[in-house]
Amino acid sequence: MDYTNLGKTGLRVSRLCLGTMMFGAWGNRDHDACVRMVHTALDAGVNFVDTADVYAFGETEEILGRALKGRRDSVVLATKFGEQMDHGEPLTRGASRRWIMRAVEDSLRRLGTDRIDLYQLHRFDPGTDLDETLGALTDLIRQGKVRAIGSSAFPADRITEAQWVAERRGRERFAVEQLAYSALARHAEASALPACERYGLGVMVYSPLNGGWLTGKYRAGSPAPADSRAVRNAEHFDHAQEAVRTRKYAIVEGIATLAAESGHTMVELAIGFVLAHPAVSSAIMGPRTMEQLTAQLGAVDVTLGPDVMDRMDVLVAPGTDVNPADSPYVPPALTDPALRRRGYARRPEQPARTA
């Protein structure tokens, strides 16, 4: 296993990070099997594990807490906050001091630990001043409950804004960004990844397999596996959109050919591609089964030559997405008419406009 510095945090992490979103009700309901996957990853040299409070609404953190008993000190443990935890209670989300102080205690309890190595804001919260968020997170660092802080799915302008707020207000700064990046979804190359490099942020990449597309299991003329996310959540993984599905089928065939010619599996090619970017610290594996985990663990040793990378650029142009919906951030002004039109009535569930 190769290791690298996670930005300027001083944390030395494995180039592969174990993602746990599929542990529990959202994926693998067998807790024992999930614990075995954690132990297999750690035994293979993975020392970086990522989760979130919202994954299976706390169940995933509980599974992970059980799996890390006796091995906590050898792991860089990351979790996230900010997504809605109780859909009947509007206060159980966001980036306010009120919610952060409750959310961190809940995560510490579920994880069975007294500190979180990396605590990340899951999505930008337009209804909360960044200074409020960074102030609360700074206090958690000073209390010893959190070691480093970061963001997730922030566009370049928000990454920059957070750095400026921290500098001007004397707050701890976001040291890590977690973003979506794959050979089929390359929007981050245009501005977010360069911004991370500019500020020395560590970068964790999620969805390097683009929801399973880059494993080779989704091919034209073949039905998707019955237990796949494409069947269980087709709309989210763009299988319900014929035009996008058709385009991805064609590009996947090209990637499959390139993988075979270069002597790699598609999984190795996909993970090797994202790890080749100079800004990327670690690629997050998101296995649901032991077979998926072992297929991804071997990818850490893959180094892609310039010819392979150039051919990938031909298949999908740098900085572009095959499906625009693969970009996780849409500016609120594009989805909320009240931010574009004077006098337009705001629906009650919409967040308040912020400066």
Side-chain angles (χ1 to χ4, degrees):
M1 183 64 63
D2 292 333
Y3 301 87
T4 189
N5 292 325
L6 185 61
K8 298 179 180 179
T9 64
L11 298 170
R12 191 81 174 163
V13 299
S14 49
R15 296 301 308 279
L16 293 179
C17 173
L18 178 62
T20 60
M21 189 177 76
M22 290 290 100
F23 292 1
W26 291 9
N28 191 332
R29 296 175 180 269
D30 185 337
H31 288 201
D32 291 338
C34 294
V35 169
R36 286 194 294 272
M37 279 191 277
V38 174
H39 292 170
T40 297
L42 299 186
D43 291 343
V46 173
N47 76 337
F48 195 13
V49 182
D50 175 71
T51 190
D53 56 4
V54 76
Y55 294 166
F57 301 105
E59 180 187 359
T60 303
E61 285 188 329
E62 292 175 350
I63 294 171
L64 189 54
R66 174 187 163 196
L68 293 180
K69 285 184 178 178
R71 307 186 71 165
R72 174 67 183 89
D73 289 342
S74 61
V75 170
V76 175
L77 178 59
T79 192
K80 299 180 288 293
F81 70 94
E83 293 285 76
Q84 186 81 48
M85 287 295 288
D86 181 349
H87 289 283
E89 174 49 70
L91 293 176
T92 60
R93 64 165 302 279
S96 68
R97 171 179 290 271
R98 183 186 189 279
W99 175 241
I100 289 171
M101 292 306 181
R102 174 180 165 185
V104 73
E105 296 297 340
D106 290 344
S107 285
L108 287 169
R109 171 179 48 78
R110 287 189 293 258
L111 290 166
T113 186
D114 62 352
R115 80 280 185 194
I116 294 166
D117 297 307
L118 175 62
Y119 200 40
Q120 294 183 284
L121 175 55
H122 210 146
R123 292 292 185 271
F124 178 74
D125 179 2
T128 304
D129 190 328
L130 269 171
D131 182 58
E132 159 118 350
T133 302
L134 291 172
L137 294 173
T138 296
D139 288 346
L140 292 180
I141 290 177
R142 292 173 179 171
Q143 292 167 13
K145 295 178 180 179
V146 170
R147 300 294 191 251
I149 57 175
S151 52
S152 178
F154 271 35
D157 62 326
R158 297 300 186 183
I159 291 171
T160 300
E161 180 185 358
Q163 296 295 310
W164 288 359
V165 170
E167 178 183 350
R168 294 172 183 180
R169 302 292 180 85
R171 308 299 194 187
E172 293 285 343
R173 72 187 188 103
F174 287 145
V176 180
E177 164 66 14
Q178 183 174 148
L179 49 77
Y181 182 39
S182 75
L184 295 178
R186 302 181 60 171
H187 57 272
E189 294 172 337
S191 55
L193 282 167
C196 291
E197 285 189 284
R198 185 177 308 120
Y199 291 107
L201 272 63
V203 174
M204 306 162 63
V205 169
Y206 72 87
S207 294
L209 301 180
N210 197 240
W213 275 100
L214 293 172
T215 65
K217 65 182 176 182
Y218 303 135
R219 310 292 281 270
S222 301
D227 64 343
S228 69
R229 285 182 283 178
V231 173
R232 291 184 285 117
N233 194 357
E235 190 65 44
H236 180 67
F237 292 96
D238 61 32
H239 290 265
Q241 304 172 50
E242 183 176 358
V244 171
R245 185 175 68 247
T246 300
R247 188 178 176 206
K248 283 195 174 182
Y249 278 145
I251 294 172
V252 164
E253 289 305 317
I255 293 174
T257 298
L258 178 56
E261 291 176 356
S262 60
H264 302 300
T265 66
M266 286 188 66
V267 169
E268 290 171 346
L269 186 67
I271 294 180
F273 173 82
V274 299
L275 288 177
H277 195 289
V280 173
S281 309
S282 187
I284 301 174
M285 306 176 290
R288 180 174 53 84
T289 67
M290 185 67 76
E291 291 74 20
Q292 292 173 354
L293 172 62
T294 55
Q296 295 177 66
L297 281 172
V300 73
D301 297 322
V302 172
T303 300
L304 303 181
D307 57 330
V308 175
M309 297 297 290
D310 290 345
R311 288 177 64 183
M312 294 289 278
D313 288 347
V314 173
L315 290 167
V316 180
T320 65
D321 293 340
V322 176
N323 181 3
D326 279 336
S327 177
Y329 179 80
V330 179
L334 300 185
T335 59
D336 183 355
L339 300 181
R340 303 190 303 272
R341 305 169 190 167
R342 292 183 184 277
Y344 193 90
R346 177 184 297 279
R347 295 190 301 272
E349 69 273 13
Q350 293 175 315
R353 185 174 182 176
T354 56

